[in-house]
Amino acid sequence: MDKKNYRIIDLVWRFLLDDLSAEEREELRVWREGSEEREAFFQRVCRGESLPDRRKVFRELNALEAYKKFRNKTRGSWINTVWRYAAILTIPLLAGVMWMWFHEDKQAEPRVVVSADTPPRAKVEDKVILVLSDGKKVGMTHIARDSVRLGTATVMGQEGRLVYDSAGVGADTAEFTRLEMNKVITATGGFYSLVLSDGSRVWLNSESELEFPVLFGQGERVVRLAGEAFFEVSKDASRPFIVETDGMRTRVLGTSFNIKSYADEPCVRTTLFTGKVHVVSSADTTREVVLLPGQQADWDTQGRQFSVTKANLEHARAWKDGLFVFHKENIEMVMRQIERWYGVKFVYQLEHRERYTLNGYFNKDESLQSILDIFTFTVGLEFKIDGNVVYIKNKMEQP
């Protein structure tokens, strides 16, 4: 490897350890935005994808010595036990994927197969479902490696994403758009990305739904979200992009932002990364805010009020990078995120649970048990898993 490649290895690895300075984070961001291929690679690393026989490169990276240095730096802080534990788990995976990135020949581009066959039906175990305009459900995880043409949609099996294309659409675009709506649904533990017909990119978190037209018309570009999604909207001054959620509309022209709108959360949160967004109540248009980069707006679904605060952008997009990041988060908020990913239900058997806050930085490929073990070690909670139910109690409160 040349020095430049080693530098990227160092930056990505220390990103996983939350050990980058502001300047280094900016350096890594610029590198990632250099191409879609780099961003896809970065996401694979964060999700821990690797091949076991490639982990021998771990010795090349001298990661053990680097970890010792990091351990000495954080020694003495019991909270950072979580971070050191996560480092041990992620280093070998990172090394394997790095080796694949810098040593393997680039894979050939996927072929587009125009298929007249009936698309695969969705099954119970599918974590990502495409609902076509006629109600037919397609299991996205069962699409073959080669791309498959479904009407005007091209399913990119290699990248794990759905790309919409206007090829073959008739002249009556308005009528076509009015009739043909699609929906992507991610189940518990699901994650998916798609490119809409205007070139906008969307990443969907688990237990989320995005409804959208196959083709946007001449007016507003309107989509409907339930759950959480990250948007990178293509600029089009003549056609504002609208995201409708529970009681709220977010209006943009071209920008990147995250919206979290789960039914079991107390608020709908919009976090702005670049550009500018206009957020307004659907029921009362006098209730509105305009966000600037680095700000987030919380819409209280009960009190029907907005509050605007400074956002932690790394935390807001952590789910998109395949991570859980918690910093002094209320235990109920943390457990709701874990429930959506692992498909369990937490039952609290402890008093004053509002007093418990949790810290952690975990890869979503970690087992549920390993994450709960860390919480047990750091805050003294005990977790008992019984099927899909997890009981929580404080070890000190046991009879």
Side-chain angles (χ1 to χ4, degrees), residues 93-369:
L93 296 175
L94 170 61
V97 178
M98 286 291 186
W99 195 94
M100 295 172 65
W101 173 257
F102 289 116
H103 287 78
E104 284 192 327
D105 293 334
K106 302 301 180 184
Q107 296 177 336
E109 290 297 317
R111 294 180 291 112
V112 176
V113 179
V114 180
S115 176
D117 298 333
T118 302
R121 293 184 178 181
K123 299 181 181 180
V124 174
E125 67 270 20
D126 280 313
K127 292 187 177 182
V128 183
I129 303 296
L130 171 65
V131 183
L132 302 177
S133 59
D134 60 1
K136 185 177 295 181
K137 296 181 179 179
V138 180
M140 303 303 295
T141 55
H142 292 269
I143 296 294
R145 174 190 171 90
D146 289 330
S147 300
V148 178
R149 180 70 64 132
L150 300 174
T152 57
T154 302
V155 181
M156 306 295 290
Q158 184 186 37
E159 293 291 339
R161 66 176 181 172
L162 185 68
V163 179
Y164 279 78
D165 190 355
S166 60
V169 178
D172 193 357
T173 303
E175 179 66 13
F176 180 84
T177 303
R178 184 180 67 82
L179 294 176
E180 188 163 4
M181 298 290 292
N182 280 187
K183 181 187 292 185
V184 171
I185 303 173
T186 55
T188 300
F191 173 89
Y192 209 70
S193 67
L194 58 152
V195 179
L196 304 179
S197 63
D198 66 339
S200 296
R201 297 192 64 181
V202 186
W203 289 260
L204 277 180
N205 203 350
S206 57
E207 295 189 6
S208 300
E209 297 183 10
L210 183 74
E211 186 176 19
F212 51 92
V214 171
L215 287 181
F216 290 108
Q218 298 301 313
E220 294 178 335
R221 297 171 286 170
V222 181
V223 301
R224 174 76 184 176
L225 171 68
E228 184 168 19
F230 186 95
F231 295 84
E232 289 183 355
V233 176
S234 296
K235 292 183 178 180
D236 188 339
S238 65
R239 298 188 301 167
F241 192 95
I242 308 293
V243 181
E244 295 184 343
T245 56
D246 184 18
M248 195 180 76
R249 283 168 59 93
T250 300
R251 179 179 183 272
V252 305
L253 295 178
T255 184
S256 59
F257 59 101
N258 190 83
I259 296 183
K260 185 176 184 179
S261 177
Y262 286 106
D264 59 354
E265 295 289 350
C267 69
V268 179
R269 173 169 293 176
T270 302
T271 306
L272 181 60
F273 287 73
T274 62
K276 182 185 294 186
V277 300
H278 179 261
V279 188
V280 62
S281 166
S282 300
D284 183 358
T285 56
T286 64
R287 298 180 185 274
E288 59 181 351
V289 295
V290 176
L291 295 182
L292 299 177
Q295 292 182 326
Q296 66 185 27
D298 287 345
W299 170 250
D300 186 337
T301 55
Q302 296 297 320
R304 318 303 289 177
Q305 295 288 337
F306 278 113
S307 61
V308 178
T309 58
K310 182 179 180 180
N312 186 319
L313 298 183
E314 290 296 339
H315 287 190
R317 65 172 290 164
W319 69 266
K320 177 176 172 288
D321 297 328
L323 302 170
F324 288 118
V325 177
F326 310 123
H327 179 63
K328 297 182 180 179
E329 303 285 0
N330 176 268
I331 186 173
E332 293 181 89
M333 188 283 292
V334 171
M335 296 311 161
R336 285 196 295 268
Q337 292 190 50
I338 293 178
E339 284 177 344
R340 296 182 195 118
W341 189 251
Y342 292 99
V344 295
K345 179 67 177 179
F346 287 94
V347 175
Y348 297 88
Q349 297 179 328
L350 70 165
E351 297 180 356
H352 308 297
R353 60 194 186 202
E354 70 279 358
R355 299 178 182 177
Y356 289 88
T357 60
L358 302 176
N359 296 275
Y361 191 99
F362 310 102
N363 190 300
K364 283 190 172 182
D365 286 341
E366 293 300 328
S367 69
L368 173 63
Q369 186 65 63

Side-chain angles (χ1 to χ4, degrees), residues 40-58:
F41 157 71
F42 178 80
Q43 292 185 28
R44 289 199 304 273
V45 171
C46 290
R47 289 195 293 270
E49 299 174 12
S50 180
L51 297 176
D53 61 343
R54 302 301 173 86
R55 294 177 184 171
K56 61 185 179 180
V57 76
F58 181 61

